[in-house]
Structure formats: C-alpha cells, structure tokens
Amino acid sequence: MPELADHIRRLAVVSDFAMETLRRQPDLLLRFAAGDLSPLPLPVLDPDAASEWQMQLRRYRTAESTRLIWRDVLGLDDVDTTLAECTRLAENCLRVAMSAVETQFEARYGVVRAQDGSAQRLIVFGLGKLGGGELNFSSDVDLVYAYAHGGESDGLRPLAAEDYFARLGQRLARLLDDVTADGFCHRVDLRLRPFGNAGRIAWSFSAMDQYFQREGRDWERYAWLKARTVAGNIEVGEAWLQTLRPFVYRRYLDFTALDGLRTMKASIAAEVARRDMADDIKRGPGGIREIEFLAQSLQLIRGGREPELRCRRLLDALAALDASRQIDSDTTEKLAHAYRFLRRLENRLQMMRDAQTQMLPQDPEDQLRLAVGLGYPDWRALKAALDVQRALVATEFDALLVPRERKTAPDVLTGYWAALPDGGEAAVLAEAGFVDVDTADGSLRDFARSSGVKSLSDTARGRLNRVLPALLAAAVHSSQPDAALKRLLALLHAILRRTSYLALLDEQPSALARLVDVLARSALLGERLVAYPILLDELLDTRVSGPIPDIGKMRRECGLALDHGDDPEAVLRALNETRLALSFRVGMATLDRRQSAETSVRQLAELADAVVSVVLEMATDEVCAAHGRIPDGTFAVIGYGSFGGQELGFGSDLDLVFLYDADPAQLSDGARPLESGRWYARLAQKIVALLGTTTGAGRLYDIDVRLRPDGGKGLLVSSLASYREYQHERAWTWEHQALVRASPIAGDPALLESFEQVRADTLTTVRDKEKLRGDVIHMRRRMRAELDRSDTARFDLKQGAGGLVDLEFLLQYAVLAESVNFPELLPPRNTTKLIRVLSKTGWLSADDAEALIQSHVALLEAGLACTLDRRPRLAQETLGIASAREQVSRVCKSVGLDFESNIKGNG
C-alpha cells in the first residue's frame, strides 16, 4: 500500500500528535486506510459511568482532531474548512458533556424553576474564535455562563439558581479541561465573564444587563462582538445577545473604539517586548490579532449604523467592510490572504504536538518540518513568505491607528483658545478673518467657561483642544466665518456630553472640514446637526456624496425600523433617524448643486411616502392587536398638496386624507370589536399620532387633515361612497383644485385604484369655464388678502405675485377646464409634467410652456436655497427670479387669470 505509506510519511512530518493517536487507536488508521474520512460518531456518556466520561471525551476529541490533520495534510480541506471543523468539534464536545452534567445535576438537585415555574437551563456563550466559528486546532474555548431568571431547584437538595449553575459550570469546565492520562478535551477559559476571575461563575441576565450598563469596558465590546450561544437554551441566549447589541454597537459612528484599540495594542506590545514574543504570529507585529483588531474596530465604529457589518466571522467581516467601501477591494483581498496564511501556519504549529502555541519554532528540525509540511523547500523560504504577510498586515494596522493628517491650525488660534476664558486677545480673531470680533470673542469665552467644557475628562479635553482651533481655522476660510462660528459653538455645546462625536472630528479631519463648510452655507442643516448630532455620521458616510436611493430603496431602508419589533418607541426612533439621514443627504445634494431642485423635492416626497407606508403598517398592527381586523374592509392614505404633487419642501407638513371601504354594520373580529367606521377612524387617529409622536430623534411629520370632506368639521376618515358623493355633489371649486395634485400613497391597491377613478370622474366633469375662472380667481384673491398684510408678503417666492402658488392655480384651472377633453391631463401631478402635457394639447404654446418650466425651476431653486439658509423667501432679496415671476403673471393673465383684478366668484 504505497499510497497509504506516503500519507503516513507526510503525516509524520507534520504531526507527532497524530502519529501518537494512531498508535493508541489503531482502528482509526484502518478507517482512514479504507477511505472513510467522515466525522466520527459522537460519544454516548452513560449517566451510571461518570468516571469514564473524561476518557470518552478525550479519545473522541483526539480521534477527530487526527482526522482533521489527515484531511489537512492531504489537501482535502482548505483552512476555512479546518477552522469551521475545529469549531464544530469543540461544540460537539461541549454539548455532549453539558447534557451529561445536566442529567447528573437534575438527579441530584432537581431542575431550577423561575418564579413562574418555568424550567431554567444553563446558557453557554462562546466568545473569541469559538463564537466566530473559526477555532484554531489547539485553542482554548472562551466561555461565559449565564441563565435567564433566578429561582431555586426543585429537588430534594434544592440550590439557588446562582449556586446551581455555578457548580454545574465548574463541573462542565473540569470535565473538558482536566488533564488525565488521555490528555485533555478542550482548555476552558472563563476569564471573559464580568469582573473576570473576581466575578461569579454564572450570571443571571438581569445581573449581566446591569454590569454592561455600569461597568462595561471598551475591550469587552471587542470580546462580545463575536459572542454566540453554543450550548444550553440557544434561542433564549441569542435573544439576550440581541439586547446586548447597543453596548457592542453604538447607534452613532463611534471613533472612541480606536482609543480602546490603542490601549489594547499598547498593552499587547508591552507584553510582546517584555516576554520577547516577536516571533508570536498571533500577538506579534503583523500577526493574526492585528487583522482581527483592524476589522473589529471598523465594525465597532460603523456597525451601529450599518447592520451588515455585524459579522462574527472575520472573513465575513472583511467582505462586509469591502462591500460598504470601508476597506478597498485590493486591501481586503490582501488581508484575507494574509489571514488565511497565518491561520494555516498557526494550525500547523499546534498540530505538531497539540500545543497551544503561536510561537515560531527555534529548533532547526522543527523549522524544517514545518516548512516542508507547508510545501516550502526550507525554513528560509517559509520565513520570507511569512515576513511579507506580516509586513502587509502591520502597515494596514498602523495606518488605522495613526491619527489622520489635518491642516495645522495657526499657532495664534491654538494659543488664543488655550488662554481662554480669562486670557487671550480678541485681536487674534480679527487678524484671522472674523468680522464681528466682539461677538465671536465673547461667545468663545462663554463656551470655555461653560460647565460642559469644565466637566470634560482629560481625554475629551485633549480632543477639544485639538479640534476647536482647527474648527476656527476652517471657519475663517469658509464662505461665512461669523455664521459658521456661531453654528459651530451651538453644535459643540450639544455634543460635549457625547464625546464620541469629538472623537469623530478628531480622528477624521475630512469630517471636520465638511462640517464647517455645511454650517457656513446652511442654517437649516446646521440646526438639524445641533438638534440631532447623530447626523454627523452622514458627513463620513460615503453614500452622502453618491446618488440618493430611489423610492424602492427608501422603503426598504425605512422598513428596517420594523426590526425593532414590539417596541413602538424604538421603531419610531429608528424610523426618524432614517428619515433624518435621508433628508440630510437630500439637503447636502441640493446645497452642493449635485442635483436639481425638482429632483430634491421629489425625493423628499418619496421619503415621506416610504415613512407613511411604514407607519400605516405599525398603526394597523396596533389597532388589530386591540380590536381585531375588519375581515373584508380596505383602507387607503391619500396625499394632497405638495406631498401629492411630489414637490415636498424641507420641513413641510403632510396633507393627508383617509378613505375606507367596508360594510358600515360590520364588526372587527377581536375581543373588543368595533364597527367598521369607528375601527378605521381609530386607525387614522393612530397614524396621525404616530407621525406626530416626539422621540429622541424628533418627530416624523406635522400632519394637516383639513382637506378632508367638510374640512375640520368632517369625519377624520371617509368611506369611499361618502367621499365620491361629496366630490360630486357638495365639494367647492377649491376642493376640486386640491384634487388635481392628490395622489394615492399607501393602503389597499384596489381602494387606491377606486380613489383614482373618483378623482378622474370628478376632474373630468363638464364645467362652465367662466364660472370656474371666477371661482379660481376669487380663491386666489382671498388667499392674497389673508397674506398681504405687509409689504414683504407681496414678494414671497411662494405666495407673492407670480410666485409658485399663482403657477399652481394656473395649472389647476387648466386641468379642471380641459381634462374633460384631454384625459391625458389626469395622470401627472408634478408641475413640470403638467406643463408639458398642456403644451402637447395646445392649451399652452411651446414658448409659454418653456417659459413656465424655467420660471418654476428658478422659483423652486431660490425657495430651497432660502429654506436651507433660513432666509426669508423674498423675491426682492433673491437675484435672477424677477423675470420668472413676470412670466408666470403674464401667462396667467393671457388665459384670463388676472389675480390682481377684483373678480369674484362662488368659490
């Protein structure tokens, strides 16, 4: 059997441990020789033969480990498979052992019962490489023991839950860890539990919650990032790990993770130097630990905002970081290759004698065996290949920890800030370029005296001392230095208690520069940053400079808020944060002129559409939980005004109308049934309430429901039949005008289609055009009379003469007058699309249509610019739109809509 002899020879080069196992278990060699390399059957531990448990587990573990070495040596498994199989082996041993110990304890002490009588089991969390599913060949296993609820066992010798599970855990650890004549099964490390060796062996969930809230340290975030329930009640353990997620992954970009990483790196470097461990391929320079730290730090920084980065396995994390563009693809590929190289070498080091080592051998014979086993001609060749990989890893890791280069603030500004609040010369600010020097100097002194600054830790104060002079220097070079400084100080006041944001600005100079630029140019975005500092994350999000998601992606992103399950407050907060982030990105794109104003207002309307869809789902679930469902009923949300017309501004409210279609006598099928009308009224009320609920991230939208039938006197929700009757019989002309821009938003597709039919029937009604003209002019003049109480109102871009509302009234008049002859006027709600269709019908000349389109663009852009910088929408203060207003007024008058004349109608 020359082939078998060759396999054994190759095995002998790689592993003394495997050769000894085959000597002790010759049947194993026969199994391999017959080509059976499948996993061995699990040992069965007899409750009546506890003295044999250790021997059974150790023989199983050594046999399975030898099978893995055989497969590795013959090239049947790649390193990823070997790591996964080592993990599976540890989990099998752990679960078999735990089952036996549990049976033993149940017989002796009974089962632990919580106050409600439910049985409690020990829950075993695997941390480190066990949790990540990438255990090396002879690794220890990092375990933390927990249990869901306190209580007492129900046996003849009862024990309190803490004592019961502590004893069980200790027995389990000894069963796996003790060294006997058959060796050991798995080394068990319990030091990662709360308070380490000083802490109790097993912890209740409530005790662990308190610990992480009060005592949790940065290094524990790294440790629990990979945590996974590996034995016991898996489902309950995984559910608890979800509650720990806010401790591991912060909701904001958390650059304080780098502080913890620098501390851990310094500690490890000191240990490496003290113990002469430069040849340690795990802890030494360019080792496995540096790759892990690099990936985990980026996960901790961004994982709170990007769920796809929450990976336990390192290679999965690298791929996710590549996909999210946090690491470029070339670097990802190189790091993954280096990781696999180092992990394979680590495994071979441990396979040789089943030793838990990552140190390169000093013995020349071991060096040669290691090299030849890995396919290298000699030790020098292997060492050279290793040095290349370690150099690459070290370079990437060091680049992560080195502070980003920033433009150094002038010494005079640094000195000025250092001298505050009592020293420093205001003349420094004048020389730097600030205009209102006295105000700037006073504001900076007040800031330096503030309790927020005085209460900063030394670390945070050091960050502020680096960041603030840099902010001053950037403000000087911005378009509005004084405005930028005022807004910067407001923001700094808001973020002092959340020092992670100082860390962001300190670690990422590009974010600092971007921040000052935004604050100088936009009061609105500045106000939002102050109110919701979490938006600072958007300044570093690579997507902020990319395309805005389409409505489908917006709906998916908003829908992720529902992952917070049964906690409405958490859902609303998450939904608000998504809305804030997306609208901030729209604002940035508008501010940078990367897209047209028309595109921005459409995107804001699409975002509102996505939010309303999620809120409808939330509200429906809540009403159904309280009252059951209306089996055959349907519901719909209709958007009016700028929302329906897909021209929503920043901060605009939503004009909503609610419809339902159901048998009035039908009852819901819940324990507290309601008639269909009351049920749908409750649903509409819930939608309005949820949209207006204030959370830590603000509220979603202000809602206006006055455009419903009969206005404020009418019911909040209308049946389809009553809505149809109202539109045909009782609605005023201005209500039909509002219907021009009304659009289906969310709800049952059939009911939304029925609304479209009612709308079409209403708009295509034959009308007396003279009366219609009079009604439209009367309503517009009435609006003017209410608004024109000051000279400034006349020049308002929206409400003033020739403004956006005049243009809107012109188009509404056209649709009401002409859609009976031109049904193609019905589908478009958007201003530009309506103008183009009117041009195609001949109602507008091509020249007039183009003039109106250009006027609309000019007015819209000027209006958004004023909104973004909180300037009044006054035409006299805005260049380039006078002709736009003249064109709108001219076309209105050309079709008989002279909103300045005194024509009255019935309204």
Side-chain angles (χ1 to χ4, degrees), residues 223-297:
W224 283 87
L225 181 151
K226 289 177 174 286
R228 180 169 58 92
T229 314
V230 293
N233 195 325
I234 305 291
E235 183 178 352
V236 171
E238 287 299 291
W240 181 81
L241 285 176
Q242 288 299 309
T243 70
L244 186 65
R245 190 172 66 190
F247 167 73
V248 177
Y249 296 108
R250 307 296 161 81
R251 289 171 45 238
Y252 39 82
L253 290 185
D254 183 22
F255 282 88
T256 61
L258 293 182
D259 286 336
L261 179 56
R262 290 189 180 104
T263 300
M264 288 189 290
K265 171 60 177 173
S267 176
I268 292 170
E271 181 186 11
V272 168
R274 184 175 66 254
R275 298 172 57 186
D276 192 20
M277 297 167 63
D279 283 341
D280 188 314
I281 65 168
K282 178 180 179 181
R283 289 174 285 271
I288 295 166
R289 183 65 59 81
E290 291 191 354
I291 304 178
E292 293 172 335
F293 280 167
L294 187 152
Q296 290 170 359
S297 62

Side-chain angles (χ1 to χ4, degrees), residues 763 765 767 769 772 812-821 843:
L763 295 182
T765 300
R767 291 177 171 82
K769 291 185 181 181
L772 172 63
Q812 291 169 352
Y813 167 74
V815 172
L816 292 175
E818 302 298 333
S819 58
V820 64
N821 299 315
W843 194 83

Side-chain angles (χ1 to χ4, degrees), residues 22 57-58 76 80 88 139 150 218 230 263 327 359 361 385 398 495 502-503 517 583 666 711 733 739 753:
L22 293 178
L57 286 168
R58 281 148 183 75
L76 300 177
D80 295 21
R88 183 189 60 81
S139 174
D218 283 340
V230 293
T263 300
I327 304 178
M359 291 292 290
D398 290 343
I495 68 174
L502 282 178
D517 176 61
S583 63
Q666 188 173 30
T733 299
L739 199 59
E753 183 59 35

Side-chain angles (χ1 to χ4, degrees), residues 80-242:
D80 295 21
T81 302
T82 301
L83 298 176
E85 285 296 294
C86 288
T87 304
R88 183 189 60 81
L89 171 57
E91 290 176 0
N92 284 343
C93 292
L94 179 61
R95 291 170 184 173
V96 168
M98 182 167 165
S99 177
V101 174
E102 281 184 320
T103 300
Q104 188 181 63
F105 268 55
E106 288 172 11
R108 187 175 301 170
Y109 305 110
V111 175
V112 173
R113 301 282 177 183
Q115 284 189 338
D116 62 1
S118 59
Q120 302 296 302
R121 290 187 70 193
L122 181 68
I123 294 168
V124 183
F125 296 116
L127 277 64
K129 292 184 174 64
L130 175 62
E134 48 199 5
L135 204 63
N136 42 285
F137 179 79
S138 191
S139 174
D140 57 5
V141 289
D142 294 308
L143 304 181
V144 173
Y145 298 142
Y147 52 96
H149 303 288
E152 189 176 76
S153 62
D154 57 6
L156 296 176
R157 300 163 59 189
L159 292 175
E162 181 181 341
D163 192 21
Y164 183 101
F165 290 123
R167 293 189 189 187
L168 193 155
Q170 289 171 323
R171 174 75 175 108
L172 175 62
R174 289 195 301 271
L175 186 56
L176 296 171
D177 189 278
D178 285 354
V179 178
T180 70
D182 297 294
F184 63 92
C185 181
H186 283 86
R187 305 174 189 90
V188 175
D189 190 340
L190 301 176
R191 292 174 298 174
L192 292 183
R193 67 187 186 270
F195 296 116
N197 286 336
R200 67 192 77 163
I201 296 297
W203 288 66
S204 70
F205 282 173
S206 61
M208 292 180 74
D209 289 339
Q210 291 182 23
Y211 172 83
F212 286 113
Q213 288 172 10
R214 300 173 182 174
E215 307 287 344
R217 289 159 288 180
D218 283 340
W219 70 263
E220 288 176 298
R221 297 175 61 202
Y222 284 86
W224 283 87
L225 181 151
K226 289 177 174 286
R228 180 169 58 92
T229 314
V230 293
N233 195 325
I234 305 291
E235 183 178 352
V236 171
E238 287 299 291
W240 181 81
L241 285 176
Q242 288 299 309

Side-chain angles (χ1 to χ4, degrees), residues 323-389:
S324 65
R325 295 189 289 179
Q326 303 307 320
I327 304 178
D328 65 74
S329 296
D330 182 59
T331 300
T332 300
E333 185 177 344
K334 290 177 180 177
L335 287 173
H337 177 75
Y339 180 73
R340 290 187 171 101
F341 180 97
L342 291 167
R343 294 305 305 274
R344 186 165 184 240
L345 177 58
E346 177 188 39
N347 274 347
R348 288 298 181 88
L349 285 169
Q350 297 180 353
M351 287 174 177
M352 189 172 287
R353 298 184 180 90
D354 196 20
Q356 187 183 6
T357 182
Q358 287 90 14
M359 291 292 290
L360 297 175
Q362 301 302 310
D363 181 73
E365 181 180 341
D366 287 351
Q367 290 177 345
L368 181 61
R369 289 176 63 186
L370 188 63
V372 171
L374 287 169
Y376 292 89
D378 53 34
W379 174 249
R380 180 177 296 180
L382 171 58
K383 188 64 165 56
L386 171 61
D387 289 344
V388 170
Q389 300 304 322

